[in-house]
Amino acid sequence: MIRYNDIQQNEKIRTYIQKSDDTLSVQGFTDHSFGHVTKIAMEAGDILRTMGYAEREVELAQIAGFLHDIGNMVNRKDHAQSGALIAFRLLDEMGGDPEEIATVITAIGNHDEGTAAPVSAVCAAVILADKADVRRSRVRNRDIATFDIHDRVNYAVEQSYLAISADKTEISLNLSIDTAHCAVMDYFEIFLSRMTLCRRAAAMLDLRFTLTINGQQLL
C-alpha cells in the first residue's frame, strides 16, 4: 500500500514537482511549489475527514493533492491530463493498487477548470482545496507597477480559508481582499469559472458552496 509519506519523500516525485514549478516560474505564473501542493494535499484530506470519509480515502486525496500539478513540467496547457499520465506511471512503478491508482489519476486529470469534472469525492476535495489557494505569497512578481490582473487578484488576497459548517451542509470559501490592489469584481472576472466548479465539487460531497469576501456573502 502506497502511503502519503511515501509520495512526499520520493526523490523522483520531488524532482518532478520542482521542475514543474521551475517551468511555471519562467513564464511568470504564481507559485506552484511544495508549499502549494502540500497545502492542497492537507486541505483535501481535511475536507474528506471532516465529512466522515474513510481514512484511506482521505489519504488518497492527500496523494492526489500532492501530485496534482506535476504535469506542468510538460506544459501548462492540458497539465491535468499529462499529470495524470505521469502519476499513473509513478504509482504503478511503486506497486500501487489499480483501484487506488485509478482514483488518484482521475482526480488529477479532472482538477483544472478548463476540463474538470468532480466525478468522485477525492476529485471534489482536490478541486475545492486547489481553487481555494489564492493568496499574496503565491505571487512571484514583486514589482506592483507591472502586475497583470492575475497578479493583482492574488496579491490582494490577504487571507483565504475553507470552512465546513457544523451541520456539514455548507462549505464556505472566506477571503479577505485589500481593495486597494484589486476590486472585488476583478476577482470574479478571473475566478468565476473556478467558483462555478467549486459549486459543482461541493455538490458531489452533498455540500452547498458559498463565497464570502470581506465579510459579505456573495455566492
Side-chain angles (χ1 to χ4, degrees), residues 60-125:
L60 292 178
Q62 292 173 333
I63 291 170
F66 196 77
L67 295 173
H68 80 283
D69 272 337
I70 204 167
N72 282 303
M73 70 174 169
V74 177
N75 197 296
R76 176 66 178 168
K77 182 175 173 59
D78 298 327
H79 74 280
Q81 287 73 41
S82 58
L85 294 174
I86 293 165
F88 167 78
R89 178 165 183 177
L90 291 166
L91 295 171
D92 190 50
E93 286 179 348
M94 294 172 72
D97 173 76
E99 288 276 349
E100 295 189 342
I101 291 175
T103 297
V104 170
I105 66 171
T106 297
I108 296 170
N110 280 283
H111 84 271
D112 188 62
E113 60 266 23
T115 53
V119 294
S120 70
V122 168
C123 181

Side-chain angles (χ1 to χ4, degrees), residues 39 43 127-135 157 159-165 170-177 187-188 191 194-196 198-199 202 208-219:
K39 180 176 174 62
E43 189 83 67
I127 287 170
L128 287 163
D130 186 40
K131 304 316 166 193
D133 192 20
V134 185
R135 50 188 162 87
V157 178
Q159 186 178 31
S160 170
Y161 66 93
L162 285 168
I164 296 176
S165 62
E170 180 178 290
I171 185 167
S172 177
L173 173 56
N174 299 274
L175 302 176
S176 174
I177 290 180
Y187 179 88
F188 277 101
F191 291 130
R194 298 185 187 186
M195 297 301 96
T196 301
C198 283
R199 179 177 287 173
R208 185 170 71 93
F209 177 76
T210 64
L211 171 67
T212 299
I213 299 179
N214 293 350
Q216 299 295 315
Q217 185 173 321
L218 302 177
L219 287 177

Side-chain angles (χ1 to χ4, degrees), residues 1-3 6-7 10 13 89-96:
M1 179 185 294
I2 300 173
R3 310 311 301 251
D6 299 331
I7 299 299
N10 185 289
I13 289 172
R89 178 165 183 177
L90 291 166
L91 295 171
D92 190 50
E93 286 179 348
M94 294 172 72

